[in-house]
Every structure is written in structure tokens, then in C-alpha cells.
């Protein structure tokens, strides 16, 4: 496994891959790696010749300084995991090399970012769009791998690739969960034992809502019941619980079996903000 810190170091490997007709898979992460990240890496290793994993906690996508400062950094543990997965290359850039200056451009994803994560985290997707574009330009992968766990991010990244003609394919990996259903997230390690138990409220209500919809119950009535359930849990603070088109992020007021639909949720559990989603009609 080769670790590098600067884009210039990668260029000779990229050229070599190009000359020898080898494909490059890329898995961008913010580290504190868990099975969810490892599934992306396994998907990349399965379908490409070389896998590059980046670890970079991107300051410009955080809209809370506290969230940024508390983001777990576990680089040596991460490198051990990556070595075990037989990853070929790890890109560990520092802040100065990625942002020699604070970017002045701002990306606006229109209606895609007026709702859900975009609404509750202003500027977040611009920050995601900028770092992902930079990383695509530096690594120049053939396939980039992202998790369905961050569903709105997937829609945003697909839009960047289309709108800016990045010459690569985006591949999506289903959400990896704990046995009880909690979606794996680097933020889960900030939960206390009690909060970890209460965090199940996200997945449990996604499942409940899915079953209710498939049984023919009305979405707005189901949603109202769920909002009450969150209000009754003192450790939870719900940001949103919405039924959406997973590609356009149009928010639905009613469930229609003929339309692609996913339910998305974001809630604080204590001080930790968690998100999750469940496809209803994939
Ligand atoms: P992060 O390090 O949180 O920025 O995540 C890096 C990549 O891993 C993103 O594409 C995420 O969507 C993906 N990811 C995070 N958690 C999971 C999970 N539980 N299952 C699948 N993919 C995930």
C-alpha cells in the first residue's frame, strides 16, 4: 500500500495506469473508517484494477465549527484497516495543499439543495461539490464509489459529473447497518451508551413508515405520527422526515407506488446529528 500526500506524487501512477490500460477506482472518505467505507472499497477492488482511498476532513462542508472540531481523526487505525483490505493507494492531503486559499466559488444545485440537508446545512453541498471536484481532478479515476447512506449527496455528485462532464462513472453502494439497523457512521462513536440506544429511533421509524405506506396508509398521517414519536423522545431533535424522489429530491405530499420514492430522516441524538434513508420504491 502506497501512501501519498500531494497530487503531484500521484501523477506518475495515473500515467502508468493510463499507459497500461488499467482502471482506477476511487473512494473519497473523511476517515474514522468503518464497515460502510470498507464495502465501498471492496466494491472498487472488485470492479477496477487499482483502488485509491482518500482521507480528508473537508472544513468547507461543515456548517458547524463544533461538528468540524469534534469530527473523529483516527489516521493510524484507518491505515491499518486499509492495509488489511489491500488498498493500493491512500491519499492523505493536508489542508494547505487542498486549500492554498479559501475558494471563492460557490456551487448552487438549485432545487436539489433547497430541501432536506441543503436546507438544514446551508453551504454544505457547495463544500461537498468543491472537494469532490478537486479530488476528481487530482485522482482522475475511472469509477468513483459513494454510499447510498448519503442519498442527497449521491444526487449532487451525479449532477456535478453530468454538468461538468467529469470523465468517470459513479457507482453507488447500499447502506451498511449494525445488526439492529442503525446505519454505520463515523459520528456514531460520539454517542453515549444511552444515545446509541435512542439513535435507533431513526431506523425504526423509517421501517415503520415504509410498512405503513406499503399497507396503504396516508403519508401525511404516518409522518405526523412519527413527528410526535420524535417529540416524545427527549434526546432526539428531528430536523426532517420526508418522502422524496431519490433523484430530484422533489418532496412528496402523498405516496404513489408508480414513482421512485425514498424516505429520508435527519435528527440530533444528544449533540450528534445523524441522517439515514430507506428506499420504498427503488
Ligand atoms: P464519509 O467518510 O462519512 O464522508 O463517507 C465516505 C463515503 O462512505 C461516502 O460515500 C458515504 O456515503 C459512505 N458511507 C458512509 N457511511 C456508510 C454506510 N453506513 N454504508 C455505506 N456507505 C457509507
Amino acid at each position: 500500500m502506497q501512501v501519498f500526500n500531494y497530487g503531484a506524487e500521484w501523477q506518475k501512477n495515473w500515467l502508468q495506469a493510463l499507459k497500461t490500460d488499467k482502471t482506477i477506482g476511487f473512494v473519497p472518505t473523511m476517515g474514522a473508517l468503518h464497515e460502510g467505507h470498507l464495502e465501498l472499497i471492496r466494491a472498487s477492488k472488485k470492479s477496477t484494477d487499482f483502488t485509491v482511498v482518500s482521507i480528508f476532513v473537508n472544513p468547507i462542508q461543515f456548517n458547524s465549527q463544533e461538528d468540524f472540531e469534534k469530527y473523529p481523526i483516527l489516521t493510524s487505525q484507518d491505515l491499518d484497516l486499509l492495509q488489511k483490505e489491500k488498498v493500493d493507494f491512500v491519499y492523505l492531503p493536508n489542508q494547505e495543499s487542498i486549500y492554498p486559499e479559501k475558494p471563492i466559488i460557490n456551487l448552487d444545485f438549485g432545487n436539489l439543495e433547497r430541501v432536506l440537508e441543503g436546507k438544514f446545512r446551508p453551504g454544505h453541498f457547495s463544500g461537498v461539490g468543491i472537494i469532490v471536484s478537486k479530488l476528481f481532478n487530482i485522482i482522475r479515476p475511472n469509477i468513483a464509489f459513494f454510499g447510498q447512506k448519503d442519498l442527497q449527496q449521491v444526487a449532487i455528485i451525479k449532477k456535478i459529473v453530468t454538468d461538468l462532464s467529469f470523465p468517470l462513472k459513479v457507482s453507488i453502494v447500499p447502506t451498511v447497518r449494525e445488526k439492529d439497523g442503525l446505519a454505520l457512521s463515523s459520528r456514531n462513536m460520539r454517542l453515549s451508551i444511552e444515545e446509541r440506544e435512542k439513535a435507533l429511533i431513526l431506523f425504526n421509524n423509517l421501517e415503520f413508515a415504509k410498512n405503513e405506506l406499503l399497507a396503504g396508509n396516508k403519508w401525511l398521517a404516518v409522518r405526523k405520527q412519527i413527528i410526535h414519536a420524535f417529540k416524545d423522545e427527549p434526546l432526539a431533535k428531528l430536523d426532517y422526515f420526508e418522502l422524496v424522489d431519490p433523484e430530484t429530491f422533489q418532496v412528496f405530499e402523498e405516496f404513489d407506488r408508480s414513482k421512485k420514492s425514498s424516505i429520508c430522516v435527519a435528527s440530533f441524538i444528544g449533540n450528534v446529528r445523524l441522517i439515514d434513508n430507506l428506499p420504498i420504491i427503488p
Side-chain angles (χ1 to χ4, degrees):
M1 186 170 84
Q2 211 172 307
V3 181
F4 62 100
N5 306 105
Y6 296 96
E9 293 173 75
W10 169 246
Q11 273 169 16
K12 63 175 186 310
N13 296 309
W14 177 77
L15 267 175
Q16 184 64 21
L18 189 69
K19 269 193 216 149
T20 52
D21 225 11
K22 302 280 189 214
T23 54
I24 298 163
F26 179 44
V27 182
T29 81
M30 297 207 297
L33 302 179
H34 51 64
E35 269 303 305
H37 298 112
L38 301 185
E39 276 302 302
L40 303 191
I41 290 164
R42 288 168 197 146
S44 172
K45 284 191 62 85
K46 228 182 257 173
S47 51
T48 63
D49 296 309
F50 295 111
T51 291
V52 185
V53 176
S54 65
I55 299 179
F56 180 67
V57 182
N58 177 35
I60 68 165
Q61 74 183 67
F62 285 82
N63 41 358
S64 144
Q65 185 63 19
E66 189 198 352
D67 192 26
F68 175 59
E69 280 164 11
K70 294 212 167 135
Y71 203 85
I73 296 189
L74 299 165
T75 313
S76 76
Q77 181 183 308
D78 288 347
L79 289 174
D80 286 347
L81 282 172
L82 295 175
Q83 183 99 50
K84 281 199 192 106
E85 293 295 323
K86 300 196 168 62
V87 164
D88 305 288
F89 298 96
V90 184
Y91 178 34
L92 280 181
N94 60 27
Q95 299 274 351
E96 295 69 38
S97 69
I98 294 286
Y99 297 117
E101 300 170 11
K102 194 169 183 290
I104 61 165
I105 62 162
N106 242 303
L107 301 179
D108 184 334
F109 297 92
N111 289 336
L112 249 186
E113 70 159 80
R114 305 275 179 269
V115 293
L116 283 69
E117 287 303 282
K119 181 170 157 196
F120 281 88
R121 303 185 68 187
H124 168 66
F125 285 127
S126 179
V128 169
I130 290 170
I131 188 64
V132 166
S133 302
K134 277 177 177 275
L135 293 171
F136 284 170
N137 280 328
I138 294 167
I139 302 299
R140 301 190 230 178
N142 300 89
I143 312 182
F145 295 80
F146 293 89
Q148 201 170 32
K149 152 90 172 23
D150 298 282
L151 192 67
Q152 201 168 2
Q153 173 172 285
V154 165
I156 294 278
I157 284 160
K158 285 185 171 164
K159 213 61 203 122
I160 295 173
V161 168
T162 310
D163 286 4
L164 299 179
S165 302
F166 277 105
L168 57 90
K169 191 181 149 231
V170 173
S171 182
I172 308 306
V173 176
T175 303
V176 180
R177 301 180 177 281
E178 301 278 8
K179 279 203 184 76
D180 62 4
L182 180 71
L184 295 189
S185 163
S186 306
R187 289 188 171 86
N188 292 353
M189 61 182 74
R190 287 176 47 205
L191 298 168
S192 68
I193 292 172
E194 191 190 1
E195 287 165 349
R196 165 65 183 81
E197 256 170 48
K198 303 294 182 194
L200 260 192
I201 192 171
L202 280 84
F203 179 68
N204 286 348
N205 278 291
L206 286 173
E207 278 232 306
F208 171 75
K210 178 177 179 173
N211 293 335
E212 291 290 294
L213 289 181
L214 295 177
N217 291 310
K218 289 256 178 282
W219 165 245
L220 288 181
V222 173
R223 182 172 178 268
K224 201 167 165 191
Q225 203 178 333
I226 288 168
I227 290 173
H228 277 295
F230 274 88
K231 279 206 178 114
D232 286 344
E233 174 45 65
L235 281 177
K237 192 183 101 26
L238 183 67
D239 271 354
Y240 59 77
F241 197 93
E242 300 287 1
L243 181 68
V244 300
D245 177 315
E247 279 153 23
T248 62
F249 274 78
Q250 182 196 345
V251 175
F252 295 138
E253 299 238 312
E254 53 191 46
F255 177 53
D256 179 344
R257 277 169 203 272
S258 70
K259 291 182 179 161
K260 282 188 184 179
S261 313
S262 288
I263 306 177
C264 297
V265 59
S267 177
F268 282 91
I269 302 294
N271 284 325
V272 185
R273 188 173 182 280
L274 301 177
I275 63 170
D276 199 354
N277 67 84
L278 205 58
I280 312 298
I281 308 288

